[in-house]
Amino acid sequence: MAESMQATDWFSANGKVILFGEHAVVYGVEAVAAAVPDLVRARAFRTDDTYRLKIPHWHVDMRDFQKHEANASETELLRSMFFLIAGELAVDGEFFGLEVDARVPPASGLGASAALAVAATKALANLFELRLNLSEINDIAFKCEQLAHGTPSGLDNTLATFGGVLRFRRENGAAVFAPVPLASPIELLIALSGKKGFTAGAVAKVRDAKNRDPQRYQGLFADIARLSAEGIIALAESDTSKLASLFNQNQRYLAEMDLSCDEIEQVLTIAASAGCNGGKLTGSGDGGAVILLAEEGAERIESSLNAAGFSTLKTVLGAKSSAFVQG
Ligand code: PMV
């Protein structure tokens, strides 16, 4: 297989943390979420006679995969996304490769798959000299999210594409979102629970439970909607102690929905003993990531978590991406 040495530049896309409203957002509740700038980047290159997808951090190196389809589900999903993007850009008659650099493992609850779709779309558009606007990129990434879990709210692809801190809801099938102003940037610590969080399974679990007990779930979603509304005010005032308390309340509702797990609870317990005032799971839950707020002593919380074997990363809510290259 011959590959051209000439790859495009790297094109980056945001991951995201959901501050309030995961799962409830699938049922029309307003969520609040923030970009994690440049979580994933991708570059594209031409090949002579085959397709190629390399994601070194995920131990993915697929060659000739149209002819020899893999059957592992994660690999199958990547393959489907690859061809969906190529089809949307109408370059599926050409041979090319994509190299993806991801800062977190898959299924971390940080929107890495939507970020991958956005970064790959930008890189591929650049390779074939196509001009796409952000809304077109967002639409393609939403279709990729539908492949991944059927009924996505569209939050991940929206944050991956547009960034910032957003309030987001679905109304009559359309995504409605707007920036949330912050009085000043807020530092957030993200801890990976080390257990994969599978969005499709978690969304199905909530749907089944809601069908069994609609009244209870209506009540939970109404409570979560109230937290989102209060969270928007706390963000506008950069009131971190209020935010911390709202995180703790949202975590309790998520745990009531059976979306927490031992690993998430362990992260929260270690963080609390190290001085963290508020934390919650973020994303699908049942694994994935935890977000933590500390008015002071973030270093101590981080080193306690690292000492217990949990990886961490920091983000600043309201910070602009440094290396954002628009495709
Ligand atoms: O874990 P993630 O990054 O796939 O986030 C899922 C968020 C949900 O609200 C559970 C589903 C959705 O589509 O919004």
Side-chain angles (χ1 to χ4, degrees):
M1 177 190 63
E3 283 175 11
S4 154
M5 296 307 290
Q6 193 62 39
T8 63
D9 285 338
W10 287 100
F11 287 81
S12 62
N14 310 297
K16 64 92 192 51
V17 282
I18 300 181
L19 305 178
F20 303 104
E22 49 274 275
H23 287 283
V25 69
V26 174
Y27 300 93
V29 167
E30 186 162 69
V32 183
V36 180
D38 308 329
L39 191 76
V40 173
R41 56 184 195 148
R43 60 183 179 178
F45 51 91
R46 286 191 184 264
T47 62
D48 284 344
D49 56 2
T50 188
Y51 298 110
R52 180 98 194 265
L53 177 61
K54 297 192 270 189
I55 315 178
H57 290 139
W58 293 3
H59 308 292
V60 169
D61 190 352
M62 295 159 67
R63 302 159 191 263
D64 277 337
F65 49 89
Q66 195 178 31
K67 294 172 207 152
H68 309 289
E69 288 178 14
N71 51 18
S73 63
E74 257 174 35
T75 316
E76 178 60 22
L77 180 61
L78 288 170
R79 193 192 71 84
S80 310
M81 278 173 66
F82 185 97
F83 287 113
L84 189 149
I85 295 169
E88 289 290 320
L89 298 184
V91 297
D92 40 351
E94 309 276 345
F95 288 109
F96 60 88
L98 279 168
E99 182 178 355
V100 178
D101 179 22
R103 281 169 56 200
V104 292
S108 293
L110 297 176
S113 67
L116 189 157
V118 168
T121 301
K122 288 176 177 177
L124 212 50
N126 182 267
L127 184 71
F128 291 104
E129 297 176 5
L130 304 168
R131 288 209 66 76
L132 294 184
N133 62 37
L134 289 181
S135 161
E136 289 165 326
I137 294 171
N138 189 34
D139 288 346
I140 293 174
F142 182 60
K143 287 180 184 164
C144 291
E145 287 290 279
Q146 284 177 313
L147 278 181
H149 65 101
T151 56
S153 63
L155 193 153
D156 286 25
N157 49 282
T158 303
L159 261 301
T161 307
F162 295 100
V165 183
L166 299 180
R167 52 200 293 177
F168 177 100
R169 71 193 151 85
R170 278 205 90 72
E171 194 177 273
N172 301 322
V176 181
F177 57 95
V180 174
L182 265 72
S184 53
I186 296 172
E187 281 184 21
L188 196 72
L189 183 62
I190 302 170
L192 303 185
S193 74
K195 181 182 177 201
K196 285 185 174 179
F198 292 106
T199 310
V203 169
K205 175 158 131 178
V206 172
R207 188 174 51 238
D208 292 348
K210 179 178 174 293
N211 287 342
R212 281 196 301 274
D213 194 347
Q215 230 175 337
R216 176 161 171 255
Y217 275 74
Q218 295 301 351
L220 281 165
F221 293 160
D223 288 334
I224 291 172
R226 180 180 49 77
L227 297 182
S228 283
E230 287 185 42
I232 289 167
I233 296 167
L235 285 165
E237 294 169 353
S238 291
D239 183 346
T240 44
S241 50
K242 177 73 182 173
L243 277 175
S245 143
L246 295 171
F247 275 11
N248 292 336
Q249 291 176 56
N250 200 158
Q251 172 62 22
R252 275 196 291 278
Y253 295 135
L254 290 161
E256 272 187 46
M257 288 154 69
D258 196 22
L259 292 163
S260 198
C261 63
D262 292 348
E263 292 82 350
I264 289 171
E265 295 299 327
Q266 204 188 338
V267 167
L268 290 168
T269 306
I270 292 170
S273 342
C276 173
N277 338 45
K280 63 181 276 292
L281 70 86
T282 184
S284 65
D286 223 1
V290 177
I291 49 174
L292 301 161
L293 269 173
E295 272 168 281
E296 52 191 44
E299 310 305 324
R300 194 175 56 241
I301 298 168
E302 190 167 25
S303 48
S304 303
L305 286 165
N306 295 158
F310 295 104
S311 320
T312 49
L313 59 151
K314 285 191 190 119
T315 192
V316 180
L317 303 181
K320 289 265 175 292
S321 160
S322 53
F324 196 84
V325 187
Q326 188 171 318

